[in-house]
Amino acid sequence: MDLQTALQTAMKGEIEGRELYTAAAEKTADSKAKQVFQMLADEEQKHYDALVRMAEDLARAKELTMPQFEAPARFEDAESPIFTREFKEKVSDFDMSALSIGVKLELESEKFYREMADQAQEEGIKELFLKLADWEHGHYEYLQSQIGFLESYYTKKYSMFRF
């Protein structure tokens, strides 16, 4: 895959992530989740903006400027990185679906970025794709830990046999 196509594919993935997290921020009833989902949407937008600038430079045959990203966000609450503890007993189908879809998007993005890093000829481009892959892996870990935190409550809520 050439670099222009790789950048376009990456931009599409960032838009999908941004839209998912924006919708999740708007729909969730949990204040902490709103904040975290919006932060994830903002991070995806920053990635998108950087990829657009790179694609524009490439189209104009200019030297590519490697973006400088801030460190990925960290969540202080290790038990529940996204939702408040009080929310676990009210977890909705939408919240669990958003988390599940987010996990899949983040894994797809990480895999894509690692593949592009392997194919990259220039060290700076390789480094960029690896940085994006690591960033997406961090998002995956946050979302996966949240699913683990909520899963027992969610499963119990929909279980036919409540013990």
Side-chain angles (χ1 to χ4, degrees), residues 84-151:
T84 58
R85 287 180 178 84
E86 296 77 28
F87 189 72
K88 64 187 172 211
E89 295 180 19
K90 306 183 285 185
V91 64
S92 73
D93 292 342
F94 176 82
D95 294 314
M96 289 302 285
S97 295
L99 291 169
S100 179
I101 294 167
V103 161
K104 291 174 184 159
L105 282 174
E106 299 299 345
L107 280 176
E108 273 183 29
S109 295
E110 178 188 4
K111 180 182 177 203
F112 175 76
Y113 289 137
R114 291 203 190 285
E115 288 171 0
M116 292 303 96
D118 287 343
Q119 294 177 24
Q121 301 296 318
E122 295 177 41
E123 195 56 40
I125 292 171
K126 178 186 225 51
E127 187 178 314
L128 168 70
F129 281 128
L130 286 174
K131 187 178 285 190
L132 287 167
D134 290 344
W135 199 302
E136 303 300 351
H137 184 77
H139 291 173
Y140 162 80
E141 287 181 342
Y142 301 140
L143 296 173
Q144 192 62 41
S145 69
Q146 187 59 63
I147 287 173
F149 175 74
L150 293 174
E151 202 162 38

Side-chain angles (χ1 to χ4, degrees), residues 6 8-9 29 34 64 68-69 80 87-88 96 105-106 119 149 154 160-161:
Q8 289 171 345
T9 302
K34 279 184 189 304
L64 296 182
Q68 297 297 315
F69 294 119
S80 175
F87 189 72
K88 64 187 172 211
M96 289 302 285
L105 282 174
E106 299 299 345
Q119 294 177 24
F149 175 74
Y154 185 74
M160 293 178 63
F161 306 100

Side-chain angles (χ1 to χ4, degrees), residues 34-44 73 75 139:
K34 279 184 189 304
Q35 179 183 8
V36 173
F37 280 134
Q38 188 57 57
M39 180 274 312
L40 288 168
D42 293 345
E43 286 188 355
E44 300 296 341
F75 304 105
H139 291 173

Side-chain angles (χ1 to χ4, degrees), residues 68-84:
Q68 297 297 315
F69 294 119
E70 299 171 13
R74 296 281 179 227
F75 304 105
E76 292 102 33
D77 188 340
E79 184 181 11
S80 175
I82 296 177
F83 294 98
T84 58

Side-chain angles (χ1 to χ4, degrees), residues 11-47:
M11 286 185 281
K12 182 179 179 287
E14 298 299 335
I15 288 170
E16 289 171 354
R18 179 196 68 204
E19 293 304 307
L20 170 69
Y21 297 134
T22 297
E26 290 170 357
K27 186 151 171 88
T28 188
D30 188 73
S31 61
K32 183 178 178 187
K34 279 184 189 304
Q35 179 183 8
V36 173
F37 280 134
Q38 188 57 57
M39 180 274 312
L40 288 168
D42 293 345
E43 286 188 355
E44 300 296 341
Q45 182 64 47
K46 288 176 188 172
H47 295 168

